[in-house]
Amino acid sequence: MRVDVVSIFPDYLAALDLSLVGKARQAGLLDLRVHDLRDWTADRHRTVDDTPFGGGAGMVMRPDVWGRALDDVLPAGGGGHLVVPTPSGDVFTQRHAEALAAEEHVVIACGRYEGIDARVAERTRAAGHRVSELSIGDYVLNGGEVAALVMIEAFGRLLPGVVGNPHSLVEESHGAAGLLEYPVYTKPPEWAGLEVPEVLLSGHHARIERWRRDRALERTAARRPDMVAALDPASLDKADRAVLAGLGWEVRDGRLRPAAEPEPGSAPGRVAE
Ligand code: ADE
């Protein structure tokens, strides 16, 4: 896979030399090229921004500079994919990471200041490329570089051969099960007066699997009720449903919903004899 990142702070992306993504680059699994946007400026001061039309605070990145950069790094003739990290984008999820990992070439345009002149995305789409404006969460960073690092790490580890044991991608949080991952433990079996749950030492695979599933359901219900509500009831066995019922969830009209509050006055009372 080829990834081009354009930024006014190319050094921010130096972290991509490290760890698994760094190894993937060395192994030739990921062809990552980082570019300095200022290489496409045309003035002595290497200016990339200007004041916003319509007034207001801050500066906006100039479309002419970005246009030249993208003409050089996107494939000629269209068919490329431009990702623009921005707090006003769609929220980036594991599904986006999976889709990006399946691409041959992605270009990431890191904006700074108040963002990139909106005509850049418009012209890029008109030239036959896809443009995805993506946010890594509901908070504002100073620029797209950290968001680009997040996205590259998220999709980079999904590239075949990057994570040593592909099985570790199967059970993790935000995977196919739609649940957060269960808590994990390692040696020593007793530490700081705390013991590893006995079942994990039992060697009883079916019981371990059930215990992990129960903890994943509990954790997801406590931390991410939105993920419980999005579960497909058909993916739940009887034990799953019992755990969820104990946590206040039930299947109604083919969907998981918080168990209905009893109507006032309809609470089961004592029936007159
Ligand atoms: N740039 C600034 N804030 C951002 C965010 N939350 N996500 C993606 N890009 C950003």
Side-chain angles (χ1 to χ4, degrees):
M1 178 180 188
R2 176 168 159 189
V3 178
D4 289 87
V5 184
V6 185
S7 162
I8 58 166
F9 294 118
D11 289 349
Y12 242 110
L13 286 304
L16 296 172
D17 282 331
L18 306 173
S19 188
L20 282 179
V21 171
K23 281 195 193 135
R25 295 177 76 177
Q26 278 171 16
L29 302 170
L30 180 63
D31 175 9
L32 184 77
R33 307 178 193 189
V34 181
H35 311 270
D36 186 342
L37 177 68
R38 292 192 202 275
D39 290 347
W40 285 277
T41 53
D43 65 317
R44 206 159 53 87
H45 301 289
R46 312 218 312 154
T47 309
V48 293
D49 60 341
D50 214 320
T51 52
F53 280 124
M59 301 289 271
V60 175
M61 296 192 103
R62 292 178 59 105
D64 49 351
V65 181
W66 272 109
R68 285 191 292 272
L70 295 177
D71 283 349
D72 280 352
V73 294
L74 280 164
H81 191 174
L82 176 66
V83 171
V84 185
T86 166
S88 55
D90 294 331
V91 177
F92 178 79
T93 67
Q94 191 68 15
R95 305 291 88 77
H96 290 99
E98 287 160 2
L100 289 171
E103 302 262 1
E104 266 172 41
H105 185 194
V106 170
V107 175
I108 306 182
C110 300
R112 285 255 144 192
Y113 319 115
E114 298 304 307
I116 301 172
D117 185 301
R119 290 169 293 181
V120 173
E122 195 182 324
R123 173 174 173 270
T124 305
R125 283 195 183 99
H129 304 289
R130 277 170 301 144
V131 178
S132 301
E133 295 178 85
L134 297 174
S135 166
I136 60 162
D138 291 344
Y139 38 80
V140 179
L141 305 168
N142 287 328
E145 287 77 9
V146 170
L149 288 172
V150 167
M151 294 180 203
I152 293 166
E153 180 149 327
F155 69 69
R157 61 194 291 283
L158 301 179
L159 296 175
V162 172
V163 169
N165 177 0
H167 204 77
S168 61
L169 300 177
V170 175
E171 288 196 359
E172 61 193 9
S173 298
H174 306 293
L179 297 174
L180 299 180
E181 204 182 11
Y182 47 79
V184 295
Y185 301 86
T186 185
K187 293 179 232 357
E190 200 226 290
W191 171 77
L194 301 170
E195 302 207 337
V196 170
E198 200 275 329
V199 60
L200 299 180
L201 312 175
S202 70
H204 194 301
H205 293 298
R207 278 181 55 211
I208 292 171
E209 213 176 298
R210 187 66 250 169
W211 183 89
R212 287 179 163 167
R213 179 92 180 158
D214 292 351
R215 299 294 85 72
L217 288 163
E218 279 173 7
R219 200 177 242 194
T220 310
R223 298 179 182 173
R224 294 293 302 275
D226 59 310
M227 288 174 66
V228 175
L231 286 173
D232 176 3
S235 72
L236 303 173
D237 65 17
K238 244 179 116 179
D240 294 336
R241 286 173 194 236
V243 172
L244 286 171
L247 297 167
W249 290 85
E250 65 185 18
V251 178
R252 247 184 301 133
D253 310 324
R255 300 220 16 215
L256 273 154
R257 300 171 197 275
E261 296 275 329
E263 293 284 320
S266 76
R270 232 189 296 171
V271 180
E273 296 194 20

